[in-house]
Amino acid sequence: MFQMPKPDRQNLKIAVLKDRYQSSFMSPRCSRHSIQRQRFVPFNKLNPAYDGLTVIPTAQPVDLVHAHNRIPIGARRSIVSFESHLPRRFAFGDEHLANRMMERHLLRNTCRRLIAMSHYAARSFLEQHKHHPDLEKLKSKLMVRHPNLVIEDNVDIYVPDQDSGPLKLTFVGAHFARKGGCVAVRLAEIAKQRGLPIEVTIISSLQIGGMIWTDPENEEFFQKYLKLLDLPNVRSLGGLPNSQVRAILRRSHFCLLPTFADTFGFSAIESMAEYTPVLGTRICALPEFITDGVNGLLLDLPTNRIGEWAGMDYGKRHTVEYETRFAEAVEQLAQDAITRLEPYLNNRSKLMPLRQMAQRSVLEMFDSRSRSAEWDQLYERVIAEEKSIPPVLDPVADKSSRNGWLPTGSTK
């Protein structure tokens, strides 16, 4: 009978590929091992189609390479975490040479784990490979590990304008339409028309259309929503540093994330860490950590079997039909959001349980102190395994990775 090798307790050298913003959420923020945030060859700078692979420049030897989204071709021993699809092959077909090379890397025994950042990501991966002849081997390496973030110990619960003043809502997202910015400003317009005390802050560089996969391609479509940024109850701030964003979220009553597609939603968990609940859509990974009425509010959109908005159609983004579908979804979400927010307009005491449970849920699920220790343990198990032994699933279940999570003692 096979027994799991004992972890190697020595200090390990782990190369974590410094890949944009996400890698900090999907690797240990503090570690007993030597974590080397390492540069890699950015093939996507040469051609965006090659965003999903890389090689590591010659450097000091390491025990393990931890890559995120990109596949480290030629790594002696690696794990790869990812947000939705792996390999990322959006720009070329199944039979493309680069795709076949990346898939071969995933199947090799040198690639020890495939780590989805959510159950939604795992479903996306399995859907992507459902016809793959080696699906069972890919599944044997697959596990789920949620992101982690730093949660300050000295943050006290704070309710802005608890008994008076407008309800303050904050939207954060560079991709304005995809993240739900159109919904946010339309919500503000409805509130103004009805005389409801609601103020909306928009923190966004207002990227729309073009290559954003959820958006109608015609940028003229968005003008009616961009004009709403001038409403008296809307404050548009452009892009801001993360520290300023979190300070604004902390002084908001809700974070708005009525997104049409989001592989996770980091602004949501950062907001909850500041005791601010999220009003979001029940799609992708959001239902894994937002429980409607307990630690936030969720709005419904029709979804497909893996949890994505069913209205998305990449091949029709240039059509009037898709514009109409998108506009109808915006209107539905804005109207539903107003309905869900109305109970909190004149009874701010209802906010306190949501704020408490929002912070408690991220502390239990995403705290970097406990999550970093789990990454360390995973690195140790991977190193301890003999190369001749097929990869095995992490025997320690990730207790935070439950779909439909409810805090202990809570009821839905």
Side-chain angles (χ1 to χ4, degrees):
M1 182 177 179
F2 172 72
Q3 293 183 345
M4 171 66 70
K6 292 182 180 180
D8 186 347
R9 301 300 297 175
Q10 66 180 334
N11 182 273
L12 303 172
K13 294 180 180 179
I14 312 296
V16 176
L17 301 193
K18 194 175 180 180
D19 190 4
R20 305 190 187 96
Y21 182 55
Q22 288 195 5
S23 62
S24 63
F25 287 91
M26 290 301 292
S27 60
R29 294 179 186 261
C30 54
S31 175
R32 74 174 198 86
H33 299 303
S34 175
I35 304 296
Q36 301 176 11
R37 305 282 172 178
Q38 195 162 318
R39 295 177 181 273
F40 55 90
V41 177
F43 287 128
N44 62 303
K45 299 294 185 183
L46 302 174
N47 187 333
Y50 295 97
D51 184 50
L53 73 154
T54 190
V55 296
I56 306 170
T58 302
Q60 293 182 347
V62 296
D63 296 294
L64 178 69
V65 172
H66 178 177
H68 182 71
N69 281 336
R70 287 181 167 91
I71 294 174
I73 301 299
R76 181 173 62 90
R77 185 188 293 115
S78 68
I79 63 175
V80 184
S81 54
F82 62 97
E83 59 179 308
S84 60
H85 296 77
L86 196 74
R88 293 168 71 86
R89 58 188 188 195
F90 306 126
F92 41 73
D94 294 352
E95 298 306 314
H96 193 281
L97 177 62
N99 182 56
R100 294 202 301 271
M101 179 172 60
M102 289 189 290
E103 286 194 347
R104 282 197 299 269
H105 178 89
L106 297 184
L107 290 165
R108 289 193 182 107
N109 203 43
T110 52
C111 179
R112 305 300 295 172
R113 297 291 193 280
L114 306 173
I115 307 172
M117 72 158 56
S118 65
H119 293 286
Y120 159 70
R123 293 194 301 271
S124 298
F125 177 85
L126 294 174
E127 179 70 15
Q128 177 183 358
H129 296 284
K130 62 184 177 182
H131 299 306
H132 198 288
D134 290 310
L135 176 61
E136 291 305 312
K137 187 171 184 179
L138 292 171
K139 287 169 66 176
S140 74
K141 303 184 182 191
L142 182 64
M143 59 183 291
V144 173
R145 179 152 293 180
H146 277 146
N148 72 91
L149 75 160
V150 175
I151 302 174
E152 301 292 342
D153 289 325
N154 59 353
V155 176
D156 295 323
I157 191 166
Y158 169 80
V159 182
D161 302 323
Q162 184 169 358
D163 300 316
S164 62
L167 198 69
K168 296 180 179 180
L169 316 176
T170 298
F171 166 84
V172 182
H175 287 186
F176 179 71
R178 176 175 69 85
K179 292 276 192 173
C182 299
V183 179
V185 293
R186 174 61 182 137
L187 182 163
E189 182 181 38
I190 297 170
K192 182 176 180 299
Q193 291 168 346
R194 298 184 186 179
L196 301 177
I198 290 177
E199 289 183 355
V200 176
T201 296
I202 303 293
I203 302 174
S204 174
S205 55
L206 303 179
Q207 299 174 36
I208 53 173
M211 297 300 293
I212 302 174
W213 65 98
T214 57
D215 291 8
E217 290 184 0
N218 178 16
E219 294 189 5
E220 288 298 316
F221 166 82
F222 298 103
Q223 293 309 306
K224 60 186 176 185
Y225 299 109
L226 295 176
K227 288 178 181 178
L228 300 180
L229 294 170
D230 296 327
L231 288 171
N233 60 340
V234 174
R235 182 175 61 149
S236 181
L237 301 180
L240 294 174
N242 183 260
S243 59
Q244 294 183 35
V245 171
R246 290 187 68 157
I248 292 170
L249 286 169
R250 177 163 167 72
R251 286 163 176 76
S252 303
H253 294 97
F254 285 94
C255 168
L256 290 177
L257 190 59
T259 178
F260 288 87
D262 223 306
T263 51
F264 198 83
F266 296 128
S267 64
I269 59 176
E270 289 182 326
S271 174
M272 294 165 72
E274 303 293 340
Y275 286 95
T276 301
V278 177
L279 191 159
T281 37
R282 198 190 306 270
I283 64 169
C284 301
L286 293 186
E288 296 179 30
F289 59 93
I290 300 175
T291 303
D292 188 43
V294 175
N295 61 358
L297 303 175
L298 289 175
L299 308 174
D300 287 313
L301 278 176
T303 58
N304 61 21
R305 64 181 181 177
I306 64 172
E308 296 173 330
W309 176 42
M312 228 173 351
D313 191 334
Y314 307 114
K316 292 187 176 180
R317 293 196 304 119
H318 64 287
T319 65
V320 173
E321 174 191 349
Y322 188 79
E323 292 178 4
T324 300
R325 185 186 310 168
F326 193 92
E328 288 174 348
V330 168
E331 186 64 23
Q332 174 204 322
L333 290 173
Q335 296 285 353
D336 291 349
I338 288 287
T339 300
R340 297 302 306 276
L341 291 170
E342 281 183 320
Y344 301 95
L345 292 176
N346 299 312
N347 189 351
R348 300 296 166 81
S349 63
K350 285 179 171 287
L351 274 170
M352 188 62 75
L354 287 183
R355 294 182 72 87
Q356 290 173 325
M357 295 311 298
Q359 203 271 351
R360 177 180 168 184
S361 61
V362 293
L363 188 62
E364 292 189 8
M365 295 181 69
F366 308 115
D367 185 15
S368 62
R369 289 162 291 196
S370 58
R371 291 299 174 235
S372 293
E374 291 173 359
W375 281 113
D376 280 355
Q377 292 163 12
L378 176 62
Y379 295 154
E380 291 161 9
R381 281 192 292 273
V382 167
I383 299 300
E385 291 170 358
E386 296 293 334
K387 288 186 179 181
S388 60
I389 300 173
V392 294
L393 290 178
D394 188 347
V396 181
D398 186 345
K399 295 179 182 179
S400 75
S401 300
R402 300 195 300 271
N403 194 13
W405 176 86
L406 275 172
T408 304
S410 300
T411 57
K412 189 172 181 179

